[in-house]
């Protein structure tokens, strides 16, 4: 997984947590649900990238 993908996914996860928190604080159930959905989507993307990394040979020098 590239570093930019990791950063983007973590940012999306953080954004979802923030949106969920604001939704809880204001009593906005839609924002709470959207925040949870954004977090889930981000975590699924991260998991997919990890699987892809595990199945892709490591071409870096000095690695077996």
């Amino acid at each position: 997984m590239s570093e930019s993908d990791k950063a983007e996914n973590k940012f999306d996860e953080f954004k979802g947590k923030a949106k969920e928190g604001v939704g809880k604080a204001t009593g906005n159930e839609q924002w709470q649900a959207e925040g949870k959905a954004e977090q889930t989507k981000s975590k699924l993307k991260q998991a997919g990238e990890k699987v892809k990394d595990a199945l892709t040979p490591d071409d870096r020098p000095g690695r077996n």
Side-chain angles (χ1 to χ4, degrees), residues 1-11 46 49 53:
M1 175 183 330
S2 74
E3 293 301 315
S4 64
D5 288 341
K6 282 183 185 180
E8 183 179 340
N9 290 338
K10 281 296 182 182
F11 175 75
Q46 290 175 51
E49 290 289 337
D53 287 348

Side-chain angles (χ1 to χ4, degrees), residues 4-64:
S4 64
D5 288 341
K6 282 183 185 180
E8 183 179 340
N9 290 338
K10 281 296 182 182
F11 175 75
D12 288 343
E13 184 179 350
F14 174 76
K15 187 172 67 170
K17 284 182 183 181
K19 188 181 248 185
E20 181 184 5
V22 170
K24 283 182 181 179
T26 61
N28 188 327
E29 292 179 3
Q30 182 177 351
W31 276 28
Q32 289 178 42
E34 287 176 9
K36 285 183 181 182
E38 287 178 14
Q39 290 175 65
T40 301
K41 180 179 174 184
S42 173
K43 288 177 183 178
L44 287 171
K45 284 171 133 180
Q46 290 175 51
E49 290 289 337
K50 287 180 183 179
V51 168
K52 184 172 82 172
D53 287 348
L55 298 175
T56 304
D58 191 1
D59 293 333
R60 289 180 281 177
R63 302 286 304 238
N64 293 334

